[in-house]
Amino acid sequence: MNAFSYARPRTLADALRLLRNGAAALAGGTDLVGLMKDGLTRPTTLVDLTGIDGLRGWSHPKGRGIRIGALTPLVELETDQSLAKTMPILREALRDAATVQLRTMGTVGGNLLQRNRCWYFRDEGTPCWLKGGTRCFAVDGENRYHAIIGAQECVMVSPSDLVPALIAYDAEIALTSSRGQRSMKLIDLFVAPRGRERREHSLRPGELITEVRVPEAALARRGTYVKAMDRKAWSFALVSIAAAAKIERGVARDVRLVMGGIAPVPWRVIAAEKGLEGSPLDEAACADAADRMLTGATPLRDNGYKVTLARELVRRALRSLVA
Ligand SMILES: Cc1cc2nc3c(=O)[nH]c(=O)nc-3n(C[C@H](O)[C@H](O)[C@H](O)COP(=O)(O)OP(=O)(O)OC[C@H]3O[C@@H](n4cnc5c(N)ncnc54)[C@H](O)[C@@H]3O)c2cc1C
Ligand code: SF4
């Protein structure tokens, strides 16, 4: 690990002033510190965000949607009874994410910005394409956990459980930097690495996520999160899906399907969602949606099983919305 300085500002303005010249934001540290120990990132300064007031907790001003501070620990979202009623997909997604210790330390912002779990990427001695090398070692190597769809030069997969759940609620993020503020749809934070874009996120240097916003209208959807894992705990998704819809007189409206673990970005196919508009979510409609979600899938040597698994998870998640 390289030598670095440490600062714990008390205001957002001070944090933004410190976040320059190779400094990195520190939230729970559950991903960042591991990356530093493994020599995969070498910040000059760690800017600890945990001393800043107002970035933690969530609120639901009447009729104006939900706001979740970026420094809110994952466990708070998982255990809050009132939030579980309003956004049930969140609790389902977080229940099987990491361990309770990691969910206690890990924060919302850090979860959205965690790096991928490709083992070649995580190995300091392997100079793969995403780290500036010339080739992706996973394409011809051990690729059981890698992408089946949507990948170009890099076949890593989007690892977060929280992200598909939030996107199923049309979440947006608020960003701030010394240059000003902006907001974007959460799904637009994610970048499939390709060409000159050897990165996973579209965050700009010196920028912080301050909060996640969910519009009131999205809270009318019911939904579920289904995750397939190798083992019951400490396991990233082999394949996951957040499915949400309004069910009106037995048919689906306003459907959202967002998958994790199969592509370098959270995987959403608008045609699959539109195809379910007005559908009773019967077996035929669910099979058709699964086909549309996976159109163009090209599995690697070891991960053909993900196509079958993904198809079954789409079916199961959608059927549960009308069960
Ligand atoms: C063994 C293990 C198993 C895991 N299993 C799962 C799992 O099953 N599902 C899952 O979803 N996750 C899993 N994780 C990932 C875990 O959820 C993340 O490590 C955690 O959510 C990161 O949050 P953090 O606050 O600790 O982030 P940090 O490690 O502090 O930061 C992560 C990154 O985000 C940046 N950052 C943090 N906050 C902000 C902000 N507000 N604005 C701008 N940048 C910011 C940091 O600079 C850093 O680049 C696992 C992790 C481990 C170690
Ligand atoms: S999948 Fe991406 S991170 Fe993994 S070896 Fe290939 S280029 Fe590197």
Side-chain angles (χ1 to χ4, degrees), residues 25 27-32 98 107 110-111 113-114 160-161 209 227 235-236:
T30 60
D31 193 31
L32 183 60
T107 64
N111 188 279
L113 290 167
Q114 64 177 294
S160 166
D161 288 309
I209 300 177
K227 175 179 180 181
S235 219
F236 287 88

Side-chain angles (χ1 to χ4, degrees), residues 61-208:
K62 204 168 168 30
R64 291 177 26 223
I66 289 199
R67 289 166 172 245
I68 304 169
L71 262 282
T72 309
L74 301 175
V75 77
E76 271 187 45
L77 302 186
E78 177 198 355
T79 53
D80 190 289
Q81 296 299 333
S82 150
L83 198 60
K85 281 196 195 112
T86 323
M87 295 179 76
I89 315 175
L90 279 199
R91 172 179 282 192
E92 280 191 54
L94 288 172
R95 214 170 27 200
D96 285 331
T99 60
V100 71
Q101 292 88 346
L102 285 160
R103 296 196 295 276
T104 303
M105 287 299 291
T107 64
V108 171
N111 188 279
L112 308 185
L113 290 167
Q114 64 177 294
R115 303 296 308 270
N116 80 82
R117 289 280 153 181
C118 168
W119 36 42
Y120 299 107
F121 174 78
R122 293 270 164 177
D123 177 34
E124 186 179 4
T126 306
C128 79
W129 181 86
L130 190 59
K131 291 187 281 184
T134 54
R135 57 180 282 233
C136 169
F137 293 93
V139 169
D140 300 316
E142 294 289 328
N143 49 39
R144 176 173 157 71
Y145 298 114
H146 290 77
I148 54 171
I149 200 162
Q152 304 278 333
E153 285 91 333
C154 167
V155 293
M156 63 82 185
V157 293
S158 174
S160 166
D161 288 309
L162 180 62
V163 164
L166 285 174
I167 295 174
Y169 286 117
D170 298 343
E172 294 193 354
I173 50 173
L175 300 152
T176 188
S177 74
S178 49
R179 294 174 303 280
Q181 299 180 348
R182 64 180 179 134
S183 62
M184 63 161 82
K185 289 186 177 160
L186 175 59
I187 199 162
D188 294 333
L189 177 65
F190 303 95
V191 175
R194 60 190 295 188
R196 289 191 188 166
E197 292 232 273
R198 297 191 191 212
R199 58 183 188 149
E200 295 136 279
H201 303 107
S202 62
L203 199 77
R204 295 175 187 154
E207 209 165 34
L208 286 177

